[in-house]
Amino acid sequence: MKRVLNALSLCCLTVLFSTVALADVLFQEDFESGFPSGWSVDSSVWEVGPPTSGPGGCYSGSQCAATVLDDDYPNSARSRLISAPFVVPAASQIPRLRFWHWFLFYTQDYSDVQISVDYGAWEALTVYNYTPSGGGVWTYELIDLASYAGQSVRIGFRMWDNTAGGTSSGWYIDDISVETGPYQDLSSSLENFESGIGDWGAERGTWEVGSPTSGPGGCYSGSQ
């Protein structure tokens, strides 16, 4: 399935609020050593390895997690990639989940991020899903975990095929981390993205940071 993404490029933005700065990483999973110890899948869709379909490569390195590495996901693919349990740091440490992902879904299919406390029922971590209206680029996600401070949790990356008769590339995930640390004060500075996306995040997909070759064909200033 081919789609045209209409993107808004922000090359130079003065911000009057704070975003996450240099972070302390509680743990990071880049899948370079294969399927991680302590992780699991509650159905048969998820794979770890070098992708030859979808984006055709990982965000970084040679391996990532994907619903299917070399083809579209199958019909009725309803599967959850589940992290090993960990204890969420104190709310004062500003704990957050970060990951890079790329996705394309068919019609009414979607994915979402869930959380399970002490092996209990799964609940949504965000108020939005990743749907066919977004995706198609590697995007950096940020999800606040402060509400679960001090609790043992597992993170679930759930793919949900909701449409009979059609599929698409699916969901690819890389460089998952749980981070803590203060927010950078940008109230008196300029964000020009020359150092990349940093600790910004994007909801639902479609946002990239880099050198534009479409749209204006260049930035207002600098190269990113």
Side-chain angles (χ1 to χ4, degrees):
M1 179 181 69
K2 296 182 178 179
R3 300 189 307 107
V4 176
L5 297 176
N6 294 319
L8 173 63
S9 298
L10 295 183
C11 293
C12 201
L13 176 68
T14 302
V15 291
L16 301 178
F17 52 88
S18 296
T19 59
V20 184
L22 298 176
D24 296 319
V25 179
L26 178 66
F27 79 78
Q28 184 172 31
E29 182 53 65
D30 60 10
F31 303 105
E32 292 303 305
S33 297
F35 200 93
S37 175
W39 288 56
S40 61
V41 174
D42 67 1
S43 187
S44 59
V45 174
W46 285 91
E47 301 176 319
V48 169
T52 58
S53 186
C58 300
Y59 174 73
S60 67
S62 61
Q63 299 203 151
C64 62
T67 46
V68 179
L69 289 165
D70 60 358
D71 202 350
D72 291 355
Y73 57 85
N75 276 311
S76 301
R78 297 181 176 182
S79 180
R80 189 184 287 112
L81 174 67
I82 303 170
S83 77
F86 63 92
V87 176
V88 179
S92 61
Q93 296 183 48
I94 319 174
R96 62 266 185 186
L97 173 69
R98 308 234 56 185
F99 59 92
W100 287 92
H101 65 147
W102 184 105
F103 59 92
L104 281 177
F105 302 126
Y106 179 77
T107 313
Q108 299 177 30
D109 300 343
Y110 66 90
S111 64
D112 59 0
V113 181
Q114 300 180 315
I115 193 167
S116 167
V117 178
D118 291 329
Y119 288 88
W122 290 99
E123 56 185 273
L125 255 183
T126 61
V127 297
Y128 52 84
N129 298 326
Y130 308 114
T131 68
S133 60
V137 298
W138 283 103
T139 300
Y140 203 26
E141 177 67 272
L142 185 157
I143 301 175
D144 180 30
L145 295 177
S147 297
Y148 301 91
Q151 300 183 79
S152 177
V153 304
R154 295 176 300 155
I155 303 298
F157 300 89
R158 183 180 67 155
M159 165 69 207
W160 194 263
D161 184 340
N162 206 37
T163 310
T167 64
S168 190
S169 300
W171 200 10
Y172 294 72
I173 301 176
D174 205 1
D175 293 352
I176 301 169
S177 63
V178 173
E179 300 178 354
T180 61
Y183 284 76
Q184 181 183 9
D185 182 5
L186 295 178
S187 60
S188 59
S189 63
L190 185 73
E191 178 55 75
N192 58 18
F193 300 107
E194 292 302 307
S195 298
I197 197 171
D199 289 308
W200 289 60
E203 296 179 349
R204 302 176 188 269
T206 74
W207 284 96
E208 298 178 283
V209 168
S211 302
T213 57
S214 184
C219 300
Y220 173 73
S221 66
S223 63
Q224 298 203 146

